[in-house]
Amino acid sequence: MANTLAFLVLFAVAGISATTAYDPDALQDICVADLNSGVKVNGFPCKSKVNATDFSFAGLARPGYITSKFGSLVTTADVMQIPGLNTLGVSMARVDYKPGGLNPPHTHPRGTEMIFVLDGELDVGFITTADVLIAKTIKKGEIFVFPRGLIHFQINNGDKPASVIAVFNSQLPGAQVSAVSLFASTPPVTDDVLGMAFQIDTPEVEKIKAGLKG
């Protein structure tokens, strides 16, 4: 019951945050996204026929099956899964972690993130543009906020699985994993750039690239 209440409170806070969201304000009651439209706009065009399924999603109800090399799984509930979120400036996600699992350093270019711990314990943090690490350990029932655009992470250093619910003040906050973007982009960033930036030699650059793509 406590988890359910906390979940509802968190969702309400996310809804309130939409009044100061980074997304453009809605100009009508609803604008359910037409995800199949060929029209390119900032967001998605509205479709004419809508129903309740456009506003619902069951994908966050239970832990996902984790197969990633990082030992974590992100399940999103944004406009791509819930077309009714279009123009509403809010979305959610669930992150599940194996013992030792990491949600690696990444950014959300279009939204601030707030997480609520469903189960377990996590070491979390973000880095400011002054290169200051703001970090702490959070436990079941606790909340932590990651400001928009700043590099942040979560790691489960415990011996039990952990899970969080995340809310964003954007319908599609985006996610850019730092290591993957730099070492596994298409076309690739050249080895000399990466080598100089990280002060490593070419064989080490190639080893990291192979590890991320493997």
Side-chain angles (χ1 to χ4, degrees), residues 2 14 36 39 55 69 71 90 145 155 178 210 212:
N36 297 315
V39 178
F55 296 88
K69 64 186 68 181
V90 65
V145 176
I155 187 168
S178 304
L212 287 172

Side-chain angles (χ1 to χ4, degrees), residues 137-159:
T137 300
I138 55 174
K139 302 177 181 180
K140 182 176 180 177
E142 296 182 346
I143 286 171
F144 196 81
V145 176
F146 304 105
R148 177 194 184 193
L150 296 185
I151 295 174
H152 60 282
F153 63 88
Q154 308 104 38
I155 187 168
N156 178 9
N157 282 321
D159 58 3

Side-chain angles (χ1 to χ4, degrees), residues 67-78:
T67 61
S68 81
K69 64 186 68 181
F70 296 117
S72 66
L73 175 68
V74 179
T75 304
T76 57
D78 54 38

Side-chain angles (χ1 to χ4, degrees), residues 79-149:
V79 69
M80 304 306 292
Q81 291 78 38
I82 311 172
L85 290 179
N86 194 37
T87 75
L88 299 186
V90 65
S91 62
M92 301 181 74
R94 176 182 179 130
V95 190
D96 297 300
Y97 315 78
K98 291 181 177 180
L102 168 72
N103 190 8
H106 62 283
T107 65
H108 300 293
R110 295 184 293 276
T112 291
E113 176 182 6
M114 180 166 63
I115 61 172
F116 172 80
V117 183
L118 292 173
D119 290 295
E121 180 176 309
L122 296 167
D123 294 328
V124 304
F126 65 86
I127 303 168
T128 71
T129 56
D131 297 326
V132 175
L133 173 64
I134 308 295
K136 69 170 298 185
T137 300
I138 55 174
K139 302 177 181 180
K140 182 176 180 177
E142 296 182 346
I143 286 171
F144 196 81
V145 176
F146 304 105
R148 177 194 184 193

